Amino acid sequence: MFGIIGFLVAGLVIGALARLLKPGKQNLSIIATLGLGVVGSVIGGLIASALGTGDMGELNILGFVVAVVAAMLLVGTAEAITGKSGPKQLR
């Protein structure tokens, strides 16, 4: 149970760091930030594990850096999909 909570907290921190490091204003909710951070942390953990620097569940520097970079790319993608002013309306 605590592993899941820790994973969510790490995802929120990674998502928040990604939003802080990415230039410009992102129109994303806290839930979107959490989701993008969690996905970024999974990607970072998988890449770090593939490089042999640790296990998927471990916190290491390389995994953390890759997770933040992956989350920044995901934030940029989400920003491009939703646009600067929010979700696009179909007409």
Side-chain angles (χ1 to χ4, degrees):
M1 179 68 172
F2 290 114
I4 294 171
I5 293 171
F7 195 68
L8 291 175
V9 169
L12 185 59
V13 168
I14 289 169
L17 275 174
R19 286 187 63 185
L20 284 173
L21 294 174
K22 183 165 180 333
K25 181 183 181 299
Q26 299 86 33
N27 193 15
L28 298 173
S29 68
I30 190 77
I31 299 298
T33 302
L34 173 65
L36 294 174
V38 167
V39 172
S41 66
V42 168
I43 292 170
L46 288 173
I47 291 174
S49 179
L51 294 175
T53 62
D55 189 10
M56 174 65 184
E58 289 180 2
L59 180 63
N60 59 41
I61 299 298
L62 179 64
F64 185 79
V65 170
V66 173
V68 171
V69 170
M72 284 177 64
L73 293 172
L74 291 170
V75 167
T77 303
E79 184 180 18
I81 290 171
T82 60
K84 300 284 186 198
S85 62
K88 295 184 179 185
Q89 299 291 326
L90 295 175
R91 294 179 193 202

